[in-house]
Amino acid sequence: MANPYLVVENLTKVYERGQVVALRDLSFSVEKGEFLVVIGLSGSGKSTLLRCINRLVEPTKGKIYLDGVDVTRLSSARMRRVRRRIGMIFQQFNLIDRSTAIGNVLTGRLGYTPAWRALLGWFSKADRDRALANLERVGLRDKAYVRADQLSGGQRQRVGIARALMQEPELLLADEPVSALDPATSHSVMQYLEQMNREDGVTVLASLHFLSLARRYGTRIIALKDGQLVFDGPPGAIDDTRFKEIYGEEAEEVEVR
Amino acid sequence: MTGYPDGFLTDPPSLSWPVVRDALARRAGIAGRHLAIVFLDVVGLAILWLLVTYIYAWYGLGSIAYTLVPWWAFVLGVVEGAALWESFGRSLGQRFAHRELSGASGVPTGGQRVLYFIGWHLTVLPLVGLFFDPPWHERLSGLRLGPPVERGEAPRPWYRTSSGLFLAALLLATAVAAVGVTITTTNLRRLFTEAGRTAKFWRAFFSPDTTILAASGRDLVVTIYMAVMATAFAVVVAVPLSFLAARNLMRGPVGRLVYTVLRGAMSIVRSIEPIVWAIIFLIWVTVVRAPFAGVLALWVHSIADLVKLYAERLEAIDPGPIEAITATGAGRLAVLRYAVIPQIVNPYISFTLYRWDINIRMATVVGVVGGGGIGQRLYHYLTGNLWQQAGTVMLLIVILVWAIDYLSSRLRAKLA
Amino acid sequence: MGTRGGWAALRRRSLSFFLDWLAWGYIAYTVMYLLNHYWYTVYVDWYGTLKLPSWGWPLVVLGTLELAVWSRALGRSLGLRAFGLEVTCPSLGRRILRAFLWHVSVLPLGIGVWLGRGEPWHDRLAGTRVRAVPKEPERPGRRALATQWGAMAAVLLVLTLWLGWLIIGINLQVLGRRAPWAAGIWRQMLRPDFRYFLESDPAFALRNLPFSILDLMVVTIFMAFLATVLGAAVAFPLSFFGARNIMGFSPVGWAVYGLTRGFFNVFRSIETILWAVVFAVWVGFGTFAGVLALTIHTIAALGKLYSEQVEGVSPGPLEAVWAAGGSRWQVVRYAVLPQVVPSFWAFTLYRWDINVRMATVIALVGGGGIGDMLFYYKNLSDWPKVGAVVMVIVAVVWTMDYLSGRLRERIT
């Protein structure tokens, strides 16, 4: 492929309130099919970076090319069409608690549904079948009509994954997908992401807290510190010195099994 | 990764408009904080002075007077008092703002305080000095008005601080003035001697007049329907308005303007009691349609109240689902429909029930000015000294209000 | 039968049945009212009493009973939905059978229910069962309006609004026709006459003292202040008697708790303005009556809020003081008070705010305060002066609202 799939160039984000600089002049690129893990301390700008890519957060400066298109310059209507192709899952799952699991999964099709149908909640039969199939895929077929707030944390995140699957994404942004989960559930969720990456060829950008998870699942790792890129390379290349550089002198590595 | 050593992202700031603007905004913030402290002290002292003279005039002269001195003397005294207080003690304003005077070497000396006092006049009165950092009087005296320093001592009890004593004096003076104005000896005597007058009423209260039950029952129904109609129509108006009155949804200059105007108007409407609204509407739709006027009065007040409750709830929604739905590429309306509305439906219903409950109560009151329903009947009996009937009606009101209160709180508990 | 669970289930079933019956009864009443109103407009008095022949009532009662039975047998009725129940459905035939059997089983004094040992005869014979809706549904739920209970709720809502429209006598034409006239009054009020803001109005003298708008506004604030202080002072000790966790579960505790809460509830449900009427008769017209009325209502309202706060304290510190051998009142002093004092202050401030608002209108029934002036000018139709008074009221109430809001934010 001539051009990398995703190119981030000189990306800077300054939050107006409090003049906080979240990202400073960040540049990197991602090839199609990579599983890129972003690591760093809390507040190092991981979430902001992911949100700049689908413009949930407006970048202050810099360019982001997705498949050769500069998404930072798109009008909001065209941005919506780009967002359809970018799935996203969240640390706090961000499900609609009062809606059923399948209701939540169906919202993944909103980008493809005409506005009036969306307002009335009329999703097509094909979408409904697809939603059930995706729930089946994350192992929640029997919970389809259960309200989201009745589900456990891991189940909720799997609903989030099914919602992202509905978009048939090319790119998946995962913002600390397992931070709110216990270790065992974390692995099951990460395995679904890995499966999407391997089987469907979805490019994955995941921010993670634990280095062990990053090493286990990532094909490449970038590290942020105070909004700057401090590491970019294969998982194996992070040794003890690198680790201290990223997480500070005090830090100890914790294993998640 | 590259860049200037001292943390600037790009070039160091030159004297461009944004830089000047930011600097001005910061200085204005400092000046504003200072002025707020001064304002609180001046207002506090002024109120205390007014109360003292009010008490003196009321008890000593038997009239109503506020300052008893020329207005310029009053202003001068209050401002000087505030200056003294702020320089030589920890004033009310300083305490509220969590600020304290401190020198470079801890507790300020007497000399420094005198300098501060003199500098205060130069700084605060012409206002200019406040825009310097540090302000003139702080520079002059070498003192700083900063957050209180922890000295590891137990804080003084309130009666040994000037602001504690001041607040106590304020409360006491208010109480003395209030007692003097509102309670007369004649009235007070009647409270004990004329208690017998109400015995009739209480006896009647417990021996209801059954002959009026049917008619009162019909009025009760009217009252309930007044509340229902007022609430229902208020919801229709308040729900759309609440979206315009939620700060987090109204962004941009136009949005902010709409938000401010709407919230302001609603709080004005809310501060006029439904009774006053009922008077206006009674004149409007004529007394023949009393319940209609009552409904309109409750309606107007309910809109204002519901918009506030709804909008505050909207401001407290979880932004997570909004992010998630936006990320799927959904349009604005779809985000509203799937991320916002599911979060607010139950609270909205709950607030509506709550307001219905209040409206039932208010409907009984609106009747007093002729707004129809059971209140009108009660007022008729009360003014006609028909105690037994009045007692019966009151009993019915108590039962109704109680039942509705119970019902609505049960339903609300279920919704939560 | 006889188990606790059995009784609770039976109670739920019966309540849901009565709710259905009530709903159908209400629908029947409304429909008859509307028929009467639109077709025989014979005589609709102020409250539109519904006249039925003597044989009509039993017919209505029995008819609605039948409707309730059939609606429950044939689908998920409003009552079932409200109590989270459903009837499992083998087939339509069995559902119909259930409705018929119901008459045999329940109508003879509920014999089938009593002897049915947890499963009434009609359910057992028809092979149906009433059960709580399972938490984990396997089928998609239908849209609310397509279900029986949804449709029923919608019908109830529409009928209520329709009936309300007629009962209240809502007349939008009048509203429109007389709007210019009302607008005239508004215009006059918006051109306020502040002549008597500082200077006292000679025509308006109370207690041999002429008052200005400002004077009376100050008096009003004083009234609210005094009522709040007195009310809070009484409500504070009372609130502990009205708290379940302080009073314990001894019979005496129950009695005191019940009495206190009953007092709060009864006195709270009579509005301040009605209390003002009582006190105006008792101590004479004027501010004192107003203060007393405000005080009584404040005691009840604050007492309830305080008590609920006391009941909501976290039990940990209480246990700690109990464990250290503290007496009941030591528990209150060292474990409860520190937890509730901030919210007590917040409620008190909130109440002051409400009292100022109330104090502006209780003059209507002789409670004194700024309302005296408001209604005096209103009776003279002196709208510019009414406008001035209203504006002062709005300014003061708004300021109080804002200040108490800010203070409450700081406290809690």
Side-chain angles (χ1 to χ4, degrees):
Chain A
M1 211 176 287
N3 284 324
Y5 176 62
L6 174 74
V7 181
V8 174
E9 265 181 27
N10 306 98
L11 183 66
T12 295
K13 171 67 191 175
V14 183
Y15 284 103
E16 281 165 39
R17 216 174 281 167
Q19 302 270 303
V20 182
V21 182
L23 297 174
R24 288 169 202 258
D25 210 12
L26 196 66
S27 301
F28 64 92
S29 59
V30 186
E31 295 293 342
K32 207 163 181 84
E34 272 192 291
F35 194 121
L36 182 76
V37 176
V38 188
I39 57 171
L41 288 172
S42 322
S44 59
K46 302 189 297 280
S47 296
T48 308
L49 170 62
L50 295 185
R51 282 170 171 70
C52 279
I53 291 170
N54 63 357
R55 268 177 62 196
L56 286 182
V57 166
E58 286 295 332
T60 312
K61 245 162 64 180
K63 291 185 166 37
I64 298 167
Y65 294 98
L66 189 76
D67 242 353
V69 180
D70 182 3
V71 295
T72 58
R73 291 155 149 262
L74 292 179
S75 68
S76 64
R78 293 192 53 199
M79 190 61 225
R80 281 206 286 274
R81 300 184 74 83
V82 172
R83 277 188 192 134
R84 304 203 297 209
R85 297 185 291 148
I86 309 177
M88 188 161 189
I89 58 178
F90 302 84
Q91 181 179 8
Q92 293 304 327
F93 325 125
N94 290 355
L95 300 185
I96 296 134
D97 281 344
R98 303 186 36 75
S99 187
T100 55
I102 191 169
N104 271 290
V105 173
L106 278 169
T107 58
R109 287 311 282 182
L110 282 175
Y112 297 91
T113 314
W116 64 273
R117 287 190 76 121
L119 284 185
L120 293 170
W122 288 354
F123 291 97
S124 66
K125 180 81 176 71
D127 284 347
R128 288 178 183 280
D129 292 341
R130 203 196 307 256
L132 285 175
N134 281 328
L135 278 169
E136 179 90 60
R137 189 166 161 188
V138 296
L140 289 174
R141 175 63 185 80
D142 55 329
K143 303 278 183 192
Y145 301 102
V146 177
R147 264 173 54 158
D149 51 5
Q150 310 263 347
L151 298 173
S152 71
Q155 290 172 337
R156 285 156 71 87
Q157 192 59 292
R158 275 143 68 195
V159 172
I161 293 174
R163 174 171 66 188
L165 279 170
M166 288 299 280
Q167 292 173 242
E168 299 177 322
E170 298 166 12
L171 173 66
L172 182 74
L173 307 172
D175 180 23
E176 307 211 358
V178 296
S179 296
L181 303 177
D182 58 61
T185 338
S186 296
H187 276 295
S188 113
V189 164
M190 289 307 293
Q191 271 152 14
Y192 282 112
L193 297 189
E194 192 177 34
Q195 195 189 3
M196 277 172 81
N197 179 244
R198 298 234 173 108
E199 291 172 13
D200 310 53
V202 177
T203 312
V204 178
L205 244 78
S207 67
L208 290 174
H209 234 78
F210 289 109
L211 193 54
S212 57
L213 284 175
R215 283 210 186 102
R216 159 82 178 72
Y217 294 99
T219 58
R220 192 176 131 210
I221 294 182
I222 62 174
L224 296 184
K225 190 180 181 185
D226 297 329
Q228 281 169 315
L229 198 62
V230 292
F231 175 84
D232 184 346
I238 300 191
D239 51 16
D240 213 38
T241 20
R242 286 287 192 189
F243 178 76
K244 294 260 192 261
E245 234 177 77
I246 300 165
Y247 286 98
E249 291 298 321
E250 308 281 300
E252 286 286 333
E253 193 175 342
V254 184
E255 280 285 308
V256 173
R257 284 171 207 284
Chain B
M1 270 176 280
T2 56
Y4 293 87
D6 48 351
F8 288 117
L9 277 175
T10 52
D11 304 289
S14 55
L15 209 60
S16 63
W17 166 237
V19 175
V20 175
R21 187 189 55 195
D22 287 355
L24 272 181
R26 202 169 54 84
R27 297 285 156 82
I30 295 173
R33 212 164 23 246
H34 264 96
L35 280 179
I37 293 175
V38 174
F39 179 76
L40 195 61
D41 289 336
V42 167
V43 168
L45 286 171
I47 292 178
L48 186 60
W49 175 249
L50 292 176
L51 280 172
V52 169
T53 46
Y54 192 91
I55 293 169
Y56 174 71
W58 184 266
Y59 287 101
L61 311 175
S63 65
I64 295 177
Y66 292 96
T67 58
L68 287 178
V69 291
W71 67 267
W72 55 266
F74 166 69
V75 171
L76 193 70
V78 167
V79 170
E80 282 306 304
L84 280 170
W85 197 7
E86 284 177 18
S87 310
F88 292 92
R90 191 165 175 217
S91 73
L92 192 70
Q94 288 170 351
R95 187 166 284 269
F96 259 80
H98 284 294
R99 289 287 183 274
E100 195 178 43
L101 274 186
S102 59
S105 55
V107 188
T109 63
Q112 282 177 318
R113 286 184 184 277
V114 171
L115 279 178
Y116 188 88
F117 175 67
I118 296 167
W120 192 94
H121 292 84
L122 298 174
T123 315
V124 176
L125 295 184
L127 292 179
V128 187
L130 281 178
F131 282 85
F132 286 82
D133 186 22
W136 286 349
H137 56 315
E138 291 188 7
R139 198 173 293 188
L140 189 68
S141 60
L143 294 176
R144 226 178 70 75
L145 194 60
V149 186
E150 280 297 327
R151 298 209 178 81
E153 297 163 11
R156 286 196 215 172
W158 66 268
Y159 49 83
R160 288 193 52 208
T161 62
S162 56
S163 37
L165 280 177
F166 175 80
L167 280 180
L170 207 61
L171 284 181
L172 186 71
T174 316
V176 170
V179 167
V181 176
T182 56
I183 303 177
T184 60
T185 40
T186 348
N187 283 339
L188 201 58
R189 207 177 315 115
R190 285 187 66 169
L191 180 62
F192 299 102
T193 56
E194 302 288 311
R197 268 169 171 258
T198 54
K200 257 188 295 181
F201 168 76
W202 295 114
R203 208 176 306 128
F205 193 77
F206 293 105
S207 57
D209 177 2
T210 47
T211 54
I212 61 160
L213 276 184
S216 308
R218 280 202 304 266
D219 282 355
L220 273 186
V221 171
V222 173
T223 301
I224 296 174
Y225 273 100
M226 278 168 69
V228 169
M229 298 308 275
T231 317
F233 290 134
V235 168
V236 174
V237 181
V239 168
L241 284 186
S242 68
F243 286 88
L244 299 178
R247 189 195 283 267
N248 53 343
L249 300 182
M250 299 305 284
R251 297 258 168 76
V254 179
R256 204 27 70 83
L257 183 74
V258 171
Y259 161 84
T260 315
V261 168
L262 202 57
R263 277 295 185 90
M266 288 300 135
S267 71
I268 288 177
V269 172
R270 242 160 45 84
S271 49
I272 302 176
E273 280 284 301
I275 290 196
V276 178
W277 285 112
I279 290 172
I280 293 170
F281 282 116
L282 269 172
I283 296 168
W284 190 336
V285 302
T286 71
V287 280
V288 186
R289 298 175 187 81
F292 183 30
V295 166
L296 286 171
L298 294 175
W299 176 65
V300 168
H301 202 255
S302 305
I303 290 176
D305 199 27
L306 283 178
V307 166
K308 179 166 178 275
L309 289 173
Y310 287 169
E312 276 170 4
R313 186 64 191 72
L314 262 178
E315 284 170 3
I317 57 169
D318 175 11
I322 298 182
E323 254 190 340
I325 302 292
T326 312
T328 65
R332 236 165 223 272
L333 280 175
V335 171
L336 210 62
R337 157 79 170 77
Y338 286 93
V340 178
I341 290 179
Q343 290 193 55
I344 57 172
V345 168
N346 272 17
Y348 271 36
I349 296 178
S350 168
F351 287 138
T352 309
L353 280 171
Y354 168 72
R355 184 62 216 188
W356 176 56
D357 180 6
I358 293 184
N359 273 347
I360 294 259
R361 229 168 270 217
M362 291 281 182
T364 64
V365 169
V366 162
V368 173
V369 288
I374 192 83
Q376 198 166 1
R377 178 174 289 271
L378 176 62
Y379 191 61
H380 169 72
Y381 289 144
L382 282 172
T383 47
N385 286 330
L386 298 164
W387 291 109
Q388 202 184 357
Q389 284 76 5
T392 314
V393 171
M394 270 204 183
L395 196 63
L396 287 177
I397 291 180
V398 169
I399 293 169
L400 173 74
V401 170
W402 207 6
I404 300 288
D405 192 32
Y406 176 77
L407 191 70
S408 107
S409 65
R410 276 299 286 270
L411 283 173
R412 275 183 284 144
K414 239 186 154 169
L415 280 170
Chain C
M1 203 174 89
T3 57
R4 255 185 110 80
W7 277 112
L10 186 61
R11 192 171 140 263
R12 260 155 78 103
R13 283 181 75 150
S14 327
L15 282 177
S16 81
F17 178 78
F18 283 117
L19 184 62
D20 275 329
W21 196 359
L22 204 69
W24 281 111
Y26 180 71
I27 291 178
Y29 173 83
T30 318
V31 169
M32 284 191 293
Y33 185 98
L34 294 175
L35 287 177
N36 186 51
H37 183 85
Y38 286 107
W39 282 335
Y40 327 128
T41 38
V42 223
Y43 165 68
V44 179
D45 69 359
W46 256 97
Y47 309 108
T49 330
L50 188 65
K51 299 259 188 278
L52 275 187
S54 54
W55 47 265
W57 287 110
L59 202 69
V60 171
V61 170
L62 287 178
T64 51
L65 185 70
E66 283 302 307
L67 280 169
V69 170
W70 284 97
S71 67
R72 287 165 70 83
L74 294 181
R76 193 151 174 239
S77 66
L78 195 62
L80 290 171
R81 169 71 178 82
F83 285 84
L85 300 172
E86 68 176 9
V87 179
T88 55
C89 65
S91 69
L92 184 64
R94 283 179 177 273
R95 280 175 170 264
I96 294 173
L97 182 64
R98 178 178 192 269
F100 280 117
L101 286 172
W102 184 89
H103 296 87
V104 187
S105 149
V106 179
L107 281 187
L109 298 171
I111 182 166
V113 179
W114 301 122
L115 299 181
R117 289 169 192 268
E119 208 189 346
W121 286 353
H122 53 285
D123 273 337
R124 185 170 300 184
L125 290 175
T128 55
R129 211 155 63 78
V130 176
R131 59 164 191 188
V133 181
K135 266 227 148 59
E136 300 208 344
E138 281 142 21
R139 286 170 291 115
R142 272 188 293 167
R143 273 165 206 290
L145 274 182
T147 57
Q148 193 199 117
W149 60 266
M152 213 162 145
V155 167
L156 280 179
L157 186 70
V158 170
L159 285 179
T160 300
L161 292 182
W162 195 346
L163 187 63
W165 190 282
L166 298 179
I167 287 184
I168 304 297
I170 290 181
N171 189 334
L172 296 182
Q173 277 138 8
V174 170
L175 204 61
R177 197 173 62 234
R178 289 177 59 93
W181 202 71
I185 292 176
W186 277 108
R187 254 199 304 280
Q188 289 190 52
M189 281 173 62
L190 288 174
R191 232 178 278 127
D193 177 0
F194 277 108
R195 196 180 322 158
Y196 295 120
F197 180 64
L198 286 174
E199 197 184 315
S200 38
D201 184 351
F204 192 86
L206 291 168
R207 232 184 277 151
N208 308 323
L209 268 182
F211 281 83
S212 67
I213 297 178
L214 178 68
D215 293 339
L216 272 180
M217 200 64 235
V218 170
V219 170
T220 309
I221 295 172
F222 282 162
M223 286 166 63
F225 175 82
L226 208 56
T228 314
V229 171
L230 289 176
V234 179
F236 177 71
L238 275 187
S239 66
F240 293 98
F241 292 107
R244 168 61 41 80
N245 52 347
I246 303 293
M247 294 321 292
F249 294 89
S250 66
V252 181
W254 268 99
V256 175
Y257 167 84
L259 266 176
T260 319
R261 276 301 180 94
F263 166 80
F264 289 160
N265 277 328
V266 170
F267 280 63
R268 219 166 52 88
S269 49
I270 301 176
E271 279 289 325
T272 313
I273 203 151
L274 303 179
W275 282 114
V277 179
V278 175
F279 282 112
V281 172
W282 186 344
V283 299
F285 290 106
T287 46
F288 187 46
V291 169
L292 287 174
L294 288 169
T295 306
I296 287 279
H297 200 255
T298 304
I299 292 173
L302 275 185
K304 178 163 181 280
L305 289 174
Y306 286 173
S307 307
E308 281 167 0
Q309 208 59 38
V310 172
E311 285 182 350
V313 295
S314 87
L318 270 74
E319 278 174 0
V321 178
W322 280 123
S327 72
R328 176 171 301 179
W329 299 113
Q330 280 171 330
V331 169
V332 169
R333 168 68 184 81
Y334 292 101
V336 180
L337 266 191
Q339 290 190 58
V340 295
V341 160
S343 43
F344 274 25
W345 275 112
F347 284 139
T348 313
L349 278 171
Y350 171 63
R351 189 65 212 180
W352 186 33
D353 180 18
I354 293 183
N355 277 347
V356 170
R357 211 170 289 192
M358 289 281 174
T360 59
V361 290
I362 47 173
L364 183 67
V365 291
I370 185 81
D372 267 333
M373 210 164 219
L374 179 67
F375 298 118
Y376 175 78
Y377 290 139
K378 178 239 147 192
N379 288 341
L380 293 180
S381 297
D382 193 346
W383 297 111
K385 288 197 186 111
V386 172
V389 175
V390 168
M391 278 177 193
V392 173
I393 290 178
V394 167
V396 169
V397 169
W398 191 87
T399 315
M400 290 289 174
D401 192 28
Y402 178 77
L403 282 183
S404 94
R406 284 298 289 268
L407 275 173
R408 269 182 281 148
E409 259 171 40
R410 281 186 73 102
I411 289 171
T412 48

